[in-house]
PDB file of all heavy atoms in Angstrom:
ATOM      1  N   GLN R  59       0.836  -1.203   0.000  1.00 97.00           N
ATOM      2  CA  GLN R  59       0.000   0.000   0.000  1.00 97.00           C
ATOM      3  C   GLN R  59       0.874   1.258   0.000  1.00 97.00           C
ATOM      4  O   GLN R  59       0.607   2.210  -0.722  1.00 97.00           O
ATOM      5  CB  GLN R  59      -0.923  -0.005   1.224  1.00 97.00           C
ATOM      6  CG  GLN R  59      -2.001   1.050   1.189  1.00 97.00           C
ATOM      7  CD  GLN R  59      -3.015   0.805   0.078  1.00 97.00           C
ATOM      8  OE1 GLN R  59      -3.549  -0.290  -0.053  1.00 97.00           O
ATOM      9  NE2 GLN R  59      -3.268   1.821  -0.730  1.00 97.00           N
ATOM     10  N   ALA R  60       1.952   1.231   0.796  1.00 96.00           N
ATOM     11  CA  ALA R  60       2.859   2.378   0.863  1.00 96.00           C
ATOM     12  C   ALA R  60       3.523   2.623  -0.492  1.00 96.00           C
ATOM     13  O   ALA R  60       3.692   3.770  -0.911  1.00 96.00           O
ATOM     14  CB  ALA R  60       3.908   2.157   1.948  1.00 96.00           C
ATOM     15  N   ILE R  61       3.879   1.554  -1.185  1.00 96.00           N
ATOM     16  CA  ILE R  61       4.485   1.686  -2.515  1.00 96.00           C
ATOM     17  C   ILE R  61       3.488   2.341  -3.467  1.00 96.00           C
ATOM     18  O   ILE R  61       3.827   3.269  -4.198  1.00 96.00           O
ATOM     19  CB  ILE R  61       4.934   0.316  -3.061  1.00 96.00           C
ATOM     20  CG1 ILE R  61       6.102  -0.234  -2.239  1.00 96.00           C
ATOM     21  CG2 ILE R  61       5.324   0.426  -4.549  1.00 96.00           C
ATOM     22  CD1 ILE R  61       6.390  -1.711  -2.463  1.00 96.00           C
ATOM     23  N   ASP R  62       2.255   1.840  -3.445  1.00 96.00           N
ATOM     24  CA  ASP R  62       1.238   2.382  -4.358  1.00 96.00           C
ATOM     25  C   ASP R  62       0.870   3.824  -4.027  1.00 96.00           C
ATOM     26  O   ASP R  62       0.566   4.610  -4.919  1.00 96.00           O
ATOM     27  CB  ASP R  62      -0.025   1.516  -4.317  1.00 96.00           C
ATOM     28  CG  ASP R  62       0.198   0.152  -4.976  1.00 96.00           C
ATOM     29  OD1 ASP R  62       1.122   0.025  -5.803  1.00 96.00           O
ATOM     30  OD2 ASP R  62      -0.555  -0.776  -4.652  1.00 96.00           O
ATOM     31  N   ASP R  63       0.894   4.154  -2.733  1.00 96.00           N
ATOM     32  CA  ASP R  63       0.476   5.487  -2.299  1.00 96.00           C
ATOM     33  C   ASP R  63       1.569   6.542  -2.414  1.00 96.00           C
ATOM     34  O   ASP R  63       1.279   7.730  -2.385  1.00 96.00           O
ATOM     35  CB  ASP R  63       0.010   5.454  -0.831  1.00 96.00           C
ATOM     36  CG  ASP R  63      -1.313   4.715  -0.676  1.00 96.00           C
ATOM     37  OD1 ASP R  63      -1.961   4.413  -1.698  1.00 96.00           O
ATOM     38  OD2 ASP R  63      -1.684   4.438   0.473  1.00 96.00           O
ATOM     39  N   PHE R  64       2.830   6.111  -2.506  1.00 96.00           N
ATOM     40  CA  PHE R  64       3.936   7.069  -2.489  1.00 96.00           C
ATOM     41  C   PHE R  64       3.839   8.035  -3.659  1.00 96.00           C
ATOM     42  O   PHE R  64       3.675   7.625  -4.805  1.00 96.00           O
ATOM     43  CB  PHE R  64       5.274   6.331  -2.528  1.00 96.00           C
ATOM     44  CG  PHE R  64       6.455   7.253  -2.348  1.00 96.00           C
ATOM     45  CD1 PHE R  64       6.815   7.685  -1.088  1.00 96.00           C
ATOM     46  CD2 PHE R  64       7.178   7.710  -3.432  1.00 96.00           C
ATOM     47  CE1 PHE R  64       7.888   8.552  -0.907  1.00 96.00           C
ATOM     48  CE2 PHE R  64       8.246   8.572  -3.269  1.00 96.00           C
ATOM     49  CZ  PHE R  64       8.600   8.986  -2.000  1.00 96.00           C
ATOM     50  N   GLN R  65       3.915   9.316  -3.336  1.00 95.00           N
ATOM     51  CA  GLN R  65       3.839  10.353  -4.371  1.00 95.00           C
ATOM     52  C   GLN R  65       5.005  11.315  -4.218  1.00 95.00           C
ATOM     53  O   GLN R  65       5.452  11.593  -3.107  1.00 95.00           O
ATOM     54  CB  GLN R  65       2.534  11.159  -4.222  1.00 95.00           C
ATOM     55  CG  GLN R  65       1.275  10.344  -4.353  1.00 95.00           C
ATOM     56  CD  GLN R  65       1.042   9.845  -5.768  1.00 95.00           C
ATOM     57  OE1 GLN R  65       1.385  10.519  -6.737  1.00 95.00           O
ATOM     58  NE2 GLN R  65       0.471   8.661  -5.892  1.00 95.00           N
ATOM     59  N   LEU R  66       5.442  11.835  -5.343  1.00 96.00           N
ATOM     60  CA  LEU R  66       6.440  12.907  -5.301  1.00 96.00           C
ATOM     61  C   LEU R  66       5.711  14.198  -4.959  1.00 96.00           C
ATOM     62  O   LEU R  66       4.568  14.396  -5.364  1.00 96.00           O
ATOM     63  CB  LEU R  66       7.133  13.041  -6.663  1.00 96.00           C
ATOM     64  CG  LEU R  66       7.901  11.815  -7.156  1.00 96.00           C
ATOM     65  CD1 LEU R  66       8.487  12.095  -8.535  1.00 96.00           C
ATOM     66  CD2 LEU R  66       8.989  11.415  -6.188  1.00 96.00           C
ATOM     67  N   THR R  67       6.372  15.076  -4.210  1.00 95.00           N
ATOM     68  CA  THR R  67       5.781  16.377  -3.911  1.00 95.00           C
ATOM     69  C   THR R  67       5.828  17.236  -5.174  1.00 95.00           C
ATOM     70  O   THR R  67       6.542  16.914  -6.131  1.00 95.00           O
ATOM     71  CB  THR R  67       6.559  17.097  -2.791  1.00 95.00           C
ATOM     72  OG1 THR R  67       7.874  17.386  -3.277  1.00 95.00           O
ATOM     73  CG2 THR R  67       6.649  16.245  -1.532  1.00 95.00           C
ATOM     74  N   GLU R  68       5.105  18.339  -5.167  1.00 94.00           N
ATOM     75  CA  GLU R  68       5.110  19.219  -6.341  1.00 94.00           C
ATOM     76  C   GLU R  68       6.505  19.716  -6.648  1.00 94.00           C
ATOM     77  O   GLU R  68       6.905  19.820  -7.798  1.00 94.00           O
ATOM     78  CB  GLU R  68       4.151  20.398  -6.119  1.00 94.00           C
ATOM     79  CG  GLU R  68       2.714  19.933  -6.079  1.00 94.00           C
ATOM     80  CD  GLU R  68       1.738  21.010  -6.541  1.00 94.00           C
ATOM     81  OE1 GLU R  68       2.185  22.048  -7.057  1.00 94.00           O
ATOM     82  OE2 GLU R  68       0.534  20.767  -6.378  1.00 94.00           O
ATOM     83  N   THR R  69       7.270  20.028  -5.598  1.00 94.00           N
ATOM     84  CA  THR R  69       8.643  20.493  -5.780  1.00 94.00           C
ATOM     85  C   THR R  69       9.485  19.392  -6.420  1.00 94.00           C
ATOM     86  O   THR R  69      10.267  19.653  -7.344  1.00 94.00           O
ATOM     87  CB  THR R  69       9.274  20.867  -4.416  1.00 94.00           C
ATOM     88  OG1 THR R  69       8.387  21.749  -3.750  1.00 94.00           O
ATOM     89  CG2 THR R  69      10.611  21.533  -4.599  1.00 94.00           C
ATOM     90  N   GLU R  70       9.317  18.172  -5.931  1.00 95.00           N
ATOM     91  CA  GLU R  70      10.082  17.051  -6.481  1.00 95.00           C
ATOM     92  C   GLU R  70       9.711  16.780  -7.937  1.00 95.00           C
ATOM     93  O   GLU R  70      10.557  16.431  -8.752  1.00 95.00           O
ATOM     94  CB  GLU R  70       9.849  15.787  -5.631  1.00 95.00           C
ATOM     95  CG  GLU R  70      10.477  15.900  -4.248  1.00 95.00           C
ATOM     96  CD  GLU R  70       9.972  14.864  -3.257  1.00 95.00           C
ATOM     97  OE1 GLU R  70       9.043  14.088  -3.571  1.00 95.00           O
ATOM     98  OE2 GLU R  70      10.511  14.836  -2.145  1.00 95.00           O
ATOM     99  N   LEU R  71       8.424  16.975  -8.264  1.00 94.00           N
ATOM    100  CA  LEU R  71       7.973  16.741  -9.633  1.00 94.00           C
ATOM    101  C   LEU R  71       8.594  17.728 -10.620  1.00 94.00           C
ATOM    102  O   LEU R  71       8.658  17.450 -11.808  1.00 94.00           O
ATOM    103  CB  LEU R  71       6.442  16.816  -9.718  1.00 94.00           C
ATOM    104  CG  LEU R  71       5.711  15.578  -9.186  1.00 94.00           C
ATOM    105  CD1 LEU R  71       4.222  15.859  -9.064  1.00 94.00           C
ATOM    106  CD2 LEU R  71       5.957  14.370 -10.077  1.00 94.00           C
ATOM    107  N   ASP R  72       9.079  18.878 -10.117  1.00 93.00           N
ATOM    108  CA  ASP R  72       9.777  19.825 -10.990  1.00 93.00           C
ATOM    109  C   ASP R  72      11.061  19.203 -11.530  1.00 93.00           C
ATOM    110  O   ASP R  72      11.471  19.487 -12.649  1.00 93.00           O
ATOM    111  CB  ASP R  72      10.144  21.113 -10.232  1.00 93.00           C
ATOM    112  CG  ASP R  72       8.936  22.012 -10.030  1.00 93.00           C
ATOM    113  OD1 ASP R  72       7.914  21.794 -10.716  1.00 93.00           O
ATOM    114  OD2 ASP R  72       9.030  22.917  -9.203  1.00 93.00           O
ATOM    115  N   GLY R  73      11.697  18.358 -10.704  1.00 92.00           N
ATOM    116  CA  GLY R  73      12.981  17.798 -11.112  1.00 92.00           C
ATOM    117  C   GLY R  73      12.911  16.381 -11.646  1.00 92.00           C
ATOM    118  O   GLY R  73      13.835  15.918 -12.303  1.00 92.00           O
ATOM    119  N   PHE R  74      11.803  15.689 -11.360  1.00 95.00           N
ATOM    120  CA  PHE R  74      11.700  14.286 -11.728  1.00 95.00           C
ATOM    121  C   PHE R  74      10.319  13.983 -12.293  1.00 95.00           C
ATOM    122  O   PHE R  74       9.316  14.426 -11.754  1.00 95.00           O
ATOM    123  CB  PHE R  74      11.916  13.391 -10.497  1.00 95.00           C
ATOM    124  CG  PHE R  74      13.191  13.691  -9.758  1.00 95.00           C
ATOM    125  CD1 PHE R  74      13.189  14.520  -8.655  1.00 95.00           C
ATOM    126  CD2 PHE R  74      14.399  13.154 -10.177  1.00 95.00           C
ATOM    127  CE1 PHE R  74      14.356  14.810  -7.964  1.00 95.00           C
ATOM    128  CE2 PHE R  74      15.576  13.437  -9.502  1.00 95.00           C
ATOM    129  CZ  PHE R  74      15.561  14.265  -8.398  1.00 95.00           C
ATOM    130  N   GLY R  75      10.274  13.207 -13.357  1.00 92.00           N
ATOM    131  CA  GLY R  75       8.994  12.869 -13.954  1.00 92.00           C
ATOM    132  C   GLY R  75       8.283  11.734 -13.249  1.00 92.00           C
ATOM    133  O   GLY R  75       7.065  11.616 -13.326  1.00 92.00           O
ATOM    134  N   SER R  76       9.052  10.894 -12.563  1.00 94.00           N
ATOM    135  CA  SER R  76       8.454   9.708 -11.956  1.00 94.00           C
ATOM    136  C   SER R  76       9.399   9.135 -10.911  1.00 94.00           C
ATOM    137  O   SER R  76      10.572   9.519 -10.835  1.00 94.00           O
ATOM    138  CB  SER R  76       8.214   8.646 -13.025  1.00 94.00           C
ATOM    139  OG  SER R  76       9.463   8.190 -13.528  1.00 94.00           O
ATOM    140  N   LEU R  77       8.888   8.183 -10.148  1.00 95.00           N
ATOM    141  CA  LEU R  77       9.726   7.488  -9.181  1.00 95.00           C
ATOM    142  C   LEU R  77      10.851   6.742  -9.890  1.00 95.00           C
ATOM    143  O   LEU R  77      11.958   6.629  -9.369  1.00 95.00           O
ATOM    144  CB  LEU R  77       8.869   6.515  -8.351  1.00 95.00           C
ATOM    145  CG  LEU R  77       9.575   5.848  -7.164  1.00 95.00           C
ATOM    146  CD1 LEU R  77      10.075   6.885  -6.162  1.00 95.00           C
ATOM    147  CD2 LEU R  77       8.648   4.861  -6.472  1.00 95.00           C
ATOM    148  N   ASP R  78      10.589   6.249 -11.089  1.00 95.00           N
ATOM    149  CA  ASP R  78      11.630   5.548 -11.858  1.00 95.00           C
ATOM    150  C   ASP R  78      12.817   6.469 -12.121  1.00 95.00           C
ATOM    151  O   ASP R  78      13.973   6.071 -11.992  1.00 95.00           O
ATOM    152  CB  ASP R  78      11.083   5.056 -13.204  1.00 95.00           C
ATOM    153  CG  ASP R  78      10.012   3.989 -13.030  1.00 95.00           C
ATOM    154  OD1 ASP R  78       9.975   3.359 -11.961  1.00 95.00           O
ATOM    155  OD2 ASP R  78       9.224   3.796 -13.961  1.00 95.00           O
ATOM    156  N   GLU R  79      12.498   7.703 -12.504  1.00 96.00           N
ATOM    157  CA  GLU R  79      13.557   8.675 -12.781  1.00 96.00           C
ATOM    158  C   GLU R  79      14.333   8.990 -11.500  1.00 96.00           C
ATOM    159  O   GLU R  79      15.559   9.118 -11.518  1.00 96.00           O
ATOM    160  CB  GLU R  79      12.932   9.946 -13.367  1.00 96.00           C
ATOM    161  CG  GLU R  79      13.946  10.879 -13.986  1.00 96.00           C
ATOM    162  CD  GLU R  79      13.294  12.099 -14.632  1.00 96.00           C
ATOM    163  OE1 GLU R  79      12.121  12.023 -15.041  1.00 96.00           O
ATOM    164  OE2 GLU R  79      13.982  13.123 -14.700  1.00 96.00           O
ATOM    165  N   VAL R  80      13.613   9.101 -10.386  1.00 97.00           N
ATOM    166  CA  VAL R  80      14.252   9.344  -9.091  1.00 97.00           C
ATOM    167  C   VAL R  80      15.217   8.205  -8.765  1.00 97.00           C
ATOM    168  O   VAL R  80      16.373   8.438  -8.404  1.00 97.00           O
ATOM    169  CB  VAL R  80      13.201   9.482  -7.960  1.00 97.00           C
ATOM    170  CG1 VAL R  80      13.884   9.558  -6.606  1.00 97.00           C
ATOM    171  CG2 VAL R  80      12.329  10.712  -8.184  1.00 97.00           C
ATOM    172  N   ALA R  81      14.744   6.972  -8.915  1.00 95.00           N
ATOM    173  CA  ALA R  81      15.571   5.803  -8.597  1.00 95.00           C
ATOM    174  C   ALA R  81      16.831   5.774  -9.452  1.00 95.00           C
ATOM    175  O   ALA R  81      17.932   5.508  -8.960  1.00 95.00           O
ATOM    176  CB  ALA R  81      14.763   4.520  -8.793  1.00 95.00           C
ATOM    177  N   LYS R  82      16.670   6.076 -10.740  1.00 95.00           N
ATOM    178  CA  LYS R  82      17.810   6.076 -11.653  1.00 95.00           C
ATOM    179  C   LYS R  82      18.824   7.148 -11.248  1.00 95.00           C
ATOM    180  O   LYS R  82      20.021   6.899 -11.201  1.00 95.00           O
ATOM    181  CB  LYS R  82      17.295   6.314 -13.078  1.00 95.00           C
ATOM    182  CG  LYS R  82      18.345   6.156 -14.163  1.00 95.00           C
ATOM    183  CD  LYS R  82      17.665   6.250 -15.529  1.00 95.00           C
ATOM    184  CE  LYS R  82      18.579   5.906 -16.669  1.00 95.00           C
ATOM    185  NZ  LYS R  82      19.805   6.688 -16.729  1.00 95.00           N
ATOM    186  N   LYS R  83      18.325   8.343 -10.941  1.00 97.00           N
ATOM    187  CA  LYS R  83      19.225   9.432 -10.570  1.00 97.00           C
ATOM    188  C   LYS R  83      19.857   9.192  -9.198  1.00 97.00           C
ATOM    189  O   LYS R  83      20.996   9.596  -8.963  1.00 97.00           O
ATOM    190  CB  LYS R  83      18.497  10.776 -10.630  1.00 97.00           C
ATOM    191  CG  LYS R  83      18.211  11.195 -12.065  1.00 97.00           C
ATOM    192  CD  LYS R  83      17.609  12.579 -12.172  1.00 97.00           C
ATOM    193  CE  LYS R  83      17.435  12.965 -13.644  1.00 97.00           C
ATOM    194  NZ  LYS R  83      16.775  14.250 -13.797  1.00 97.00           N
ATOM    195  N   ALA R  84      19.137   8.533  -8.301  1.00 97.00           N
ATOM    196  CA  ALA R  84      19.708   8.192  -6.997  1.00 97.00           C
ATOM    197  C   ALA R  84      20.887   7.239  -7.196  1.00 97.00           C
ATOM    198  O   ALA R  84      21.913   7.363  -6.529  1.00 97.00           O
ATOM    199  CB  ALA R  84      18.648   7.575  -6.092  1.00 97.00           C
ATOM    200  N   ASP R  85      20.729   6.294  -8.117  1.00 96.00           N
ATOM    201  CA  ASP R  85      21.819   5.366  -8.428  1.00 96.00           C
ATOM    202  C   ASP R  85      23.039   6.112  -8.960  1.00 96.00           C
ATOM    203  O   ASP R  85      24.168   5.682  -8.765  1.00 96.00           O
ATOM    204  CB  ASP R  85      21.377   4.321  -9.462  1.00 96.00           C
ATOM    205  CG  ASP R  85      20.535   3.221  -8.844  1.00 96.00           C
ATOM    206  OD1 ASP R  85      20.527   3.103  -7.591  1.00 96.00           O
ATOM    207  OD2 ASP R  85      19.895   2.473  -9.590  1.00 96.00           O
ATOM    208  N   ASP R  86      22.778   7.224  -9.639  1.00 97.00           N
ATOM    209  CA  ASP R  86      23.870   8.041 -10.180  1.00 97.00           C
ATOM    210  C   ASP R  86      24.455   8.982  -9.128  1.00 97.00           C
ATOM    211  O   ASP R  86      25.371   9.746  -9.417  1.00 97.00           O
ATOM    212  CB  ASP R  86      23.378   8.875 -11.375  1.00 97.00           C
ATOM    213  CG  ASP R  86      23.015   8.004 -12.573  1.00 97.00           C
ATOM    214  OD1 ASP R  86      23.487   6.844 -12.640  1.00 97.00           O
ATOM    215  OD2 ASP R  86      22.249   8.474 -13.433  1.00 97.00           O
ATOM    216  N   GLY R  87      23.893   8.955  -7.915  1.00 98.00           N
ATOM    217  CA  GLY R  87      24.438   9.772  -6.830  1.00 98.00           C
ATOM    218  C   GLY R  87      23.839  11.159  -6.710  1.00 98.00           C
ATOM    219  O   GLY R  87      24.368  12.009  -5.999  1.00 98.00           O
ATOM    220  N   GLN R  88      22.732  11.423  -7.401  1.00 97.00           N
ATOM    221  CA  GLN R  88      22.106  12.741  -7.344  1.00 97.00           C
ATOM    222  C   GLN R  88      21.466  12.946  -5.975  1.00 97.00           C
ATOM    223  O   GLN R  88      20.647  12.142  -5.539  1.00 97.00           O
ATOM    224  CB  GLN R  88      21.071  12.835  -8.481  1.00 97.00           C
ATOM    225  CG  GLN R  88      20.884  14.237  -9.017  1.00 97.00           C
ATOM    226  CD  GLN R  88      19.620  14.876  -8.508  1.00 97.00           C
ATOM    227  OE1 GLN R  88      19.071  14.502  -7.473  1.00 97.00           O
ATOM    228  NE2 GLN R  88      19.153  15.870  -9.234  1.00 97.00           N
ATOM    229  N   GLU R  89      21.865  14.023  -5.310  1.00 97.00           N
ATOM    230  CA  GLU R  89      21.512  14.222  -3.902  1.00 97.00           C
ATOM    231  C   GLU R  89      20.015  14.282  -3.621  1.00 97.00           C
ATOM    232  O   GLU R  89      19.517  13.631  -2.712  1.00 97.00           O
ATOM    233  CB  GLU R  89      22.194  15.495  -3.392  1.00 97.00           C
ATOM    234  CG  GLU R  89      22.343  15.517  -1.888  1.00 97.00           C
ATOM    235  CD  GLU R  89      23.253  16.647  -1.425  1.00 97.00           C
ATOM    236  OE1 GLU R  89      24.355  16.792  -1.985  1.00 97.00           O
ATOM    237  OE2 GLU R  89      22.843  17.358  -0.505  1.00 97.00           O
ATOM    238  N   GLN R  90      19.272  15.090  -4.384  1.00 97.00           N
ATOM    239  CA  GLN R  90      17.831  15.198  -4.141  1.00 97.00           C
ATOM    240  C   GLN R  90      17.152  13.846  -4.362  1.00 97.00           C
ATOM    241  O   GLN R  90      16.259  13.457  -3.609  1.00 97.00           O
ATOM    242  CB  GLN R  90      17.193  16.256  -5.040  1.00 97.00           C
ATOM    243  CG  GLN R  90      15.712  16.470  -4.695  1.00 97.00           C
ATOM    244  CD  GLN R  90      15.006  17.402  -5.663  1.00 97.00           C
ATOM    245  OE1 GLN R  90      15.532  17.763  -6.715  1.00 97.00           O
ATOM    246  NE2 GLN R  90      13.788  17.791  -5.321  1.00 97.00           N
ATOM    247  N   ALA R  91      17.588  13.124  -5.370  1.00 97.00           N
ATOM    248  CA  ALA R  91      17.002  11.809  -5.659  1.00 97.00           C
ATOM    249  C   ALA R  91      17.246  10.852  -4.495  1.00 97.00           C
ATOM    250  O   ALA R  91      16.357  10.091  -4.107  1.00 97.00           O
ATOM    251  CB  ALA R  91      17.585  11.247  -6.952  1.00 97.00           C
ATOM    252  N   ILE R  92      18.433  10.890  -3.940  1.00 98.00           N
ATOM    253  CA  ILE R  92      18.756  10.028  -2.792  1.00 98.00           C
ATOM    254  C   ILE R  92      17.851  10.372  -1.609  1.00 98.00           C
ATOM    255  O   ILE R  92      17.331   9.482  -0.932  1.00 98.00           O
ATOM    256  CB  ILE R  92      20.253  10.154  -2.428  1.00 98.00           C
ATOM    257  CG1 ILE R  92      21.106   9.538  -3.539  1.00 98.00           C
ATOM    258  CG2 ILE R  92      20.541   9.482  -1.078  1.00 98.00           C
ATOM    259  CD1 ILE R  92      22.595   9.834  -3.428  1.00 98.00           C
ATOM    260  N   THR R  93      17.625  11.659  -1.380  1.00 97.00           N
ATOM    261  CA  THR R  93      16.749  12.109  -0.298  1.00 97.00           C
ATOM    262  C   THR R  93      15.335  11.568  -0.489  1.00 97.00           C
ATOM    263  O   THR R  93      14.694  11.107   0.457  1.00 97.00           O
ATOM    264  CB  THR R  93      16.717  13.653  -0.241  1.00 97.00           C
ATOM    265  OG1 THR R  93      18.052  14.122  -0.056  1.00 97.00           O
ATOM    266  CG2 THR R  93      15.846  14.154   0.894  1.00 97.00           C
ATOM    267  N   ILE R  94      14.836  11.610  -1.721  1.00 97.00           N
ATOM    268  CA  ILE R  94      13.492  11.109  -2.013  1.00 97.00           C
ATOM    269  C   ILE R  94      13.435   9.602  -1.784  1.00 97.00           C
ATOM    270  O   ILE R  94      12.492   9.090  -1.170  1.00 97.00           O
ATOM    271  CB  ILE R  94      13.074  11.444  -3.463  1.00 97.00           C
ATOM    272  CG1 ILE R  94      12.991  12.972  -3.644  1.00 97.00           C
ATOM    273  CG2 ILE R  94      11.728  10.788  -3.798  1.00 97.00           C
ATOM    274  CD1 ILE R  94      12.865  13.416  -5.087  1.00 97.00           C
ATOM    275  N   MET R  95      14.454   8.872  -2.230  1.00 97.00           N
ATOM    276  CA  MET R  95      14.469   7.420  -2.040  1.00 97.00           C
ATOM    277  C   MET R  95      14.539   7.071  -0.550  1.00 97.00           C
ATOM    278  O   MET R  95      13.924   6.103  -0.105  1.00 97.00           O
ATOM    279  CB  MET R  95      15.624   6.776  -2.809  1.00 97.00           C
ATOM    280  CG  MET R  95      15.479   6.849  -4.331  1.00 97.00           C
ATOM    281  SD  MET R  95      13.886   6.242  -4.993  1.00 97.00           S
ATOM    282  CE  MET R  95      14.039   4.482  -4.662  1.00 97.00           C
ATOM    283  N   ASP R  96      15.259   7.882   0.207  1.00 97.00           N
ATOM    284  CA  ASP R  96      15.315   7.666   1.661  1.00 97.00           C
ATOM    285  C   ASP R  96      13.918   7.810   2.274  1.00 97.00           C
ATOM    286  O   ASP R  96      13.518   7.022   3.126  1.00 97.00           O
ATOM    287  CB  ASP R  96      16.274   8.666   2.328  1.00 97.00           C
ATOM    288  CG  ASP R  96      17.736   8.330   2.089  1.00 97.00           C
ATOM    289  OD1 ASP R  96      18.026   7.207   1.622  1.00 97.00           O
ATOM    290  OD2 ASP R  96      18.589   9.183   2.378  1.00 97.00           O
ATOM    291  N   ARG R  97      13.186   8.828   1.819  1.00 97.00           N
ATOM    292  CA  ARG R  97      11.823   9.058   2.323  1.00 97.00           C
ATOM    293  C   ARG R  97      10.921   7.880   1.945  1.00 97.00           C
ATOM    294  O   ARG R  97      10.127   7.393   2.757  1.00 97.00           O
ATOM    295  CB  ARG R  97      11.263  10.370   1.749  1.00 97.00           C
ATOM    296  CG  ARG R  97       9.863  10.713   2.224  1.00 97.00           C
ATOM    297  CD  ARG R  97       9.486  12.153   1.924  1.00 97.00           C
ATOM    298  NE  ARG R  97       9.496  12.496   0.510  1.00 97.00           N
ATOM    299  CZ  ARG R  97       8.453  12.293  -0.313  1.00 97.00           C
ATOM    300  NH1 ARG R  97       7.347  11.737   0.117  1.00 97.00           N
ATOM    301  NH2 ARG R  97       8.533  12.648  -1.581  1.00 97.00           N
ATOM    302  N   PHE R  98      11.066   7.395   0.724  1.00 96.00           N
ATOM    303  CA  PHE R  98      10.309   6.243   0.248  1.00 96.00           C
ATOM    304  C   PHE R  98      10.593   5.028   1.139  1.00 96.00           C
ATOM    305  O   PHE R  98       9.678   4.358   1.619  1.00 96.00           O
ATOM    306  CB  PHE R  98      10.709   5.976  -1.208  1.00 96.00           C
ATOM    307  CG  PHE R  98      10.000   4.811  -1.856  1.00 96.00           C
ATOM    308  CD1 PHE R  98       8.627   4.701  -1.835  1.00 96.00           C
ATOM    309  CD2 PHE R  98      10.731   3.856  -2.545  1.00 96.00           C
ATOM    310  CE1 PHE R  98       7.986   3.636  -2.459  1.00 96.00           C
ATOM    311  CE2 PHE R  98      10.100   2.793  -3.165  1.00 96.00           C
ATOM    312  CZ  PHE R  98       8.725   2.686  -3.136  1.00 96.00           C
TER     313      PHE R  98
END
């Protein structure tokens, strides 16, 4: 349920189109993406 309910904030959506993009950028070491994945 938490996976299905997880949403990016409006601010986060400015930088990322989807959770997939966040995950990919987190793997690349992008700081904001890592922060979002930590919250997830």
Side-chain angles (χ1 to χ4, degrees):
Q59 191 67 51
I61 292 165
D62 290 338
D63 290 349
F64 187 80
Q65 300 290 326
L66 299 178
T67 65
E68 292 208 9
T69 309
E70 291 165 354
L71 283 169
D72 284 344
F74 307 96
S76 66
L77 188 60
D78 294 339
E79 194 177 334
V80 173
K82 188 173 188 304
K83 289 185 176 176
D85 282 345
D86 293 340
Q88 210 257 23
E89 202 169 311
Q90 185 186 11
I92 292 169
T93 302
I94 296 168
M95 292 308 291
D96 285 347
R97 181 166 60 86
F98 180 52

